[in-house]
Amino acid sequence: VRDNIAAFGGDPDNVTIFGESSGGWKVSLLMAMPGAKGLFHKAIVQSGPGLRAQSPDRASELARALLARLSLTEANISRLAELPAAEIHAAATAVTGPSPADGFAPCLDAKTLPRHPFDPAGPAESIDVPLMIGTNKDESTLFQFRTPTFGHMTDEDVDKRARTVAGDKAAALIEALRTRYPDYSPTHLVCAIQTVSMFWANSIRLAERKAAQGGAPAFVYELAWETPVARGALKTPHALEIPLVFDNVEVARNFVGPGEAPQIMADHMATAWLAFARTGAPETSGLPSWPAYDAERRATMIFDLECRVEFDPKAEVRRILAA
């Protein structure tokens, strides 16, 4: 991009990188990579906070397991290049599982990624890079929607999921989420627990650590608008912001639904993303004033048909998960 963007009318000194889900995690990694320093000037992490990278020990363990699965050794590792991609993929899935939490991924080393991106603190490599980071209100409905239990979960399922996440604070976590979402069914409470533990809490931690550096600001958001598709069962799922940010709702009607509301949301979000890319601050005439995030006020832009700024939303949930 630095070498070529001027030929396309771009400015090599004003580059924004952004990604969603694993793409957001990759943005987090790039913010700590010495080789990427100076190549981008703003960063956006959508539903994919990356606090830590893979450890070298775990990476080596996975590599050895993959080779064994393929009947290879370190001595003939070059034969990997001769194997069909499908065979390698099948072996990798067998080693890590279909949804690995710590599978094949960038790992720490002495040169390319010498430290964890945002643990225990923000990286000096990107201290001068403004950051926008956020999540969707009900990320996990997208993953649960096709399971046989979606829509049929019970309070027992809620308790079990909460204990997995919060241990002896499970009851407090459930109460905090029920207070925030009083109309949620057990299925949507399970999804809420997964959402705050898998996406939201680490996004908040990353924003805290970025803000604590005292360099360029961090801006935090949450998408709260709910898609009407699937009779509203998805609420605000993982990836819903993508067609809104790119302002292409007409090719995503099966996800965002009919009517004017999706375009209103696209107008809110796309203009904020563009403003941030241009200036490093997501201030636009169509949104309320959006303060930078800090550990005291915790200003958060809530994207809805009527956008608003909340200070420390889900505060009790944050305190429980931080303990």
Side-chain angles (χ1 to χ4, degrees), residues 13-19 27 31 40-46 126-134 206-207 210 215-221 245 267-285 287 290-293 301 303:
D13 295 318
N14 189 16
V15 173
T16 299
I17 60 171
F18 67 113
V27 169
M31 294 182 77
F40 61 93
H41 311 91
K42 290 103 178 173
I44 306 173
V45 174
Q46 300 169 208
S126 56
I127 191 171
D128 59 346
V129 175
L131 170 71
M132 186 159 67
I133 183 169
L206 196 153
K210 172 65 176 173
F219 298 91
V220 174
Y221 73 87
V245 165
D267 291 344
H268 291 327
M269 300 192 80
T271 53
W273 262 238
L274 287 169
F276 180 78
R278 290 190 182 105
T279 69
E283 293 284 348
T284 75
S285 59
L287 293 177
W290 186 346
Y293 195 84
M301 177 64 72
F303 280 102

Side-chain angles (χ1 to χ4, degrees), residues 225 228 249-250 253 256-264:
W225 177 75
V249 298
E250 293 306 325
R253 286 291 184 177
V256 301
E260 298 179 355
Q263 188 58 56
I264 293 172

Side-chain angles (χ1 to χ4, degrees), residues 43-306:
I44 306 173
V45 174
Q46 300 169 208
S47 307
L51 301 185
R52 296 177 61 83
Q54 187 66 273
S55 72
D57 288 345
R58 176 60 174 158
S60 296
E61 176 187 343
L62 287 168
R64 285 191 292 268
L66 177 67
L67 290 177
R69 188 84 184 181
L70 294 167
S71 300
L72 299 176
T73 67
E74 291 184 46
N76 62 0
I77 194 172
S78 61
R79 286 189 55 204
L80 275 173
E82 303 169 11
L83 297 179
E87 186 176 344
I88 297 173
H89 181 268
T93 300
V95 168
T96 64
S99 182
D102 65 339
F104 293 95
C107 68
L108 297 178
D109 65 9
K111 179 181 178 181
T112 306
L113 188 63
R115 56 154 292 159
H116 290 295
F118 282 88
D119 187 50
E125 287 82 356
S126 56
I127 191 171
D128 59 346
V129 175
L131 170 71
M132 186 159 67
I133 183 169
T135 58
N136 299 348
K137 178 170 66 70
D138 307 282
E139 303 269 6
S140 293
T141 57
L142 188 71
F143 312 117
Q144 291 289 341
F145 186 64
R146 296 298 182 188
T147 64
T149 56
F150 189 86
H152 305 287
M153 296 180 190
T154 66
D155 288 339
E156 183 178 349
D157 295 315
V158 176
D159 292 338
K160 182 178 179 180
R161 176 60 60 178
R163 285 195 302 272
T164 300
V165 168
D168 60 3
K169 298 185 184 309
L173 177 60
I174 294 168
E175 180 61 28
L177 287 170
R178 280 190 169 134
T179 298
R180 179 75 177 183
Y181 308 119
D183 61 336
Y184 272 25
S185 67
T187 293
H188 285 111
L189 279 174
V190 168
C191 291
I193 293 167
Q194 291 179 323
T195 295
V196 297
S197 61
M198 292 173 60
F199 297 94
W200 181 79
N202 276 348
S203 294
I204 295 302
R205 292 184 184 106
L206 196 153
E208 288 173 345
R209 293 168 187 179
K210 172 65 176 173
Q213 290 183 279
F219 298 91
V220 174
Y221 73 87
E222 180 177 81
L223 175 60
W225 177 75
E226 299 181 356
T227 176
V229 302
R231 299 182 180 179
L234 286 171
K235 294 192 178 291
T236 312
H238 191 63
L240 181 63
E241 87 284 7
I242 294 176
L244 309 179
V245 165
F246 280 103
D247 192 12
N248 58 6
V249 298
E250 293 306 325
V251 298
R253 286 291 184 177
N254 63 332
F255 195 24
V256 301
E260 298 179 355
Q263 188 58 56
I264 293 172
M265 293 306 305
D267 291 344
H268 291 327
M269 300 192 80
T271 53
W273 262 238
L274 287 169
F276 180 78
R278 290 190 182 105
T279 69
E283 293 284 348
T284 75
S285 59
L287 293 177
S289 180
W290 186 346
Y293 195 84
D294 61 63
E296 293 183 6
R297 296 200 303 164
R298 300 181 182 274
T300 303
M301 177 64 72
I302 308 297
F303 280 102
D304 210 331
L305 292 177
E306 293 291 334

